[in-house]
Amino acid sequence: MRLDPFYLIVDRASWLPRLLPQGVRLVQLRIKDQPEALVRSDIATARDLCAAAGAQLIVNDYWQIAIDERCDFVHLGQEDLDGADVAAIRRHGLRLGVSTHDEAELDRALSVAPDYVALGPVYPTILKAMAWAPQGVSRVGDWKQHVGDTPLVAIGGLTPDRGREVLQAGADSAAVVTDVLRNADPEARAREWVASTQPWRIPASQQGRQPLPRNSG
């Protein structure tokens, strides 16, 4: 499995009609502290919008709703993993991404055979208070050596320039939240990200035939 090198995280499905047309092809819907009915409605809306745009939707946390709504990819943090039924997720054919911040969490993530591992924060982030210091770009390379063929997502404080750095260091995808959503022109910033990560993007006709470039951009 390959991930698009630009991984956009949004907090509502209402972002997608604005940002999917900019070339975004990998989206996580990360909704926090909302009623279940709204969460379910947003997941269904995001599923349909992403399907129409040819984009991959990843549902954060709500794996049961993702199963109900026939989504095919979920992302779990370490705390989410505590209460998740991984066997049920797999039984319903969903792929799984897992957040990690240190070696113990990485070992735990790898024990459930994830479809990708996320490492963060690489740089300081304003999204939320973090118990972990910024990991730095060198940790990205270390993590990639550890996970091998499992795709690696870098997250935390990324800009287009920093995104190229983490991709060059070994990440398969650069995940972004505030750099796009809090930008004065989110659409233009999303286009900049798509263009910036293009050297790591393989056309569908060539997938599986060549490795992702690591020293371009």
Side-chain angles (χ1 to χ4, degrees):
M1 185 195 72
R2 291 189 181 276
L3 297 175
D4 192 87
F6 173 43
Y7 184 156
L8 178 63
I9 301 175
V10 299
D11 56 1
R12 292 299 306 274
S14 57
W15 281 105
L16 300 181
R18 298 173 59 183
L19 299 176
L20 287 172
Q22 314 312 320
V24 175
R25 292 297 176 263
L26 180 60
V27 177
Q28 182 186 128
L29 182 62
R30 181 182 183 274
I31 304 174
K32 297 295 182 181
D33 304 319
Q34 296 294 335
E36 182 176 329
L38 183 150
V39 172
R40 186 176 295 275
S41 175
D42 254 28
I43 288 174
T45 298
R47 176 202 63 207
D48 293 345
L49 290 170
C50 286
Q56 174 66 61
L57 173 66
I58 300 175
V59 176
N60 181 281
D61 188 8
Y62 293 97
W63 60 271
Q64 292 156 310
I65 298 178
I67 290 172
D68 292 344
E69 297 299 330
R70 299 182 182 276
C71 298
D72 62 5
F73 215 138
V74 295
H75 177 94
L76 299 178
Q78 292 284 320
E79 292 182 358
D80 302 327
L81 201 57
D82 290 338
D85 187 340
V86 175
I89 290 170
R90 296 302 194 187
R91 190 166 60 250
H92 286 86
L94 277 72
R95 289 176 287 177
L96 174 64
V98 180
S99 294
T100 67
H101 307 88
D102 59 30
E103 286 81 0
E105 291 188 351
L106 177 58
D107 289 342
R108 185 188 186 202
L110 292 176
S111 74
V112 299
D115 294 281
Y116 74 77
V117 166
L119 169 67
V122 179
Y123 292 93
T125 177
I126 62 173
L127 179 63
K128 59 181 178 179
M130 299 292 287
W132 299 270
Q135 306 278 358
V137 174
S138 63
R139 180 66 68 89
V140 174
D142 294 341
W143 242 237
K144 186 58 183 174
Q145 287 188 346
H146 196 141
V147 302
D149 291 336
T150 301
L152 176 65
V153 174
I155 185 171
L158 299 184
T159 62
D161 286 344
R162 289 174 172 178
R164 288 191 295 271
E165 289 180 0
V166 298
L167 292 169
Q168 289 168 351
D172 297 281
S173 191
V176 185
V177 188
T178 58
D179 189 69
V180 172
L181 301 193
R182 296 191 184 183
N183 193 276
D185 188 342
E187 291 88 346
R189 192 62 159 179
R191 289 194 299 272
E192 183 179 352
W193 267 100
V194 171
S196 179
T197 54
Q198 185 58 35
W200 289 269
R201 189 170 290 108
I202 298 175
S205 62
Q206 298 179 28
Q207 288 186 7
R209 300 182 186 178
Q210 64 186 67
L212 237 55
R214 293 296 182 199
N215 299 305
S216 301

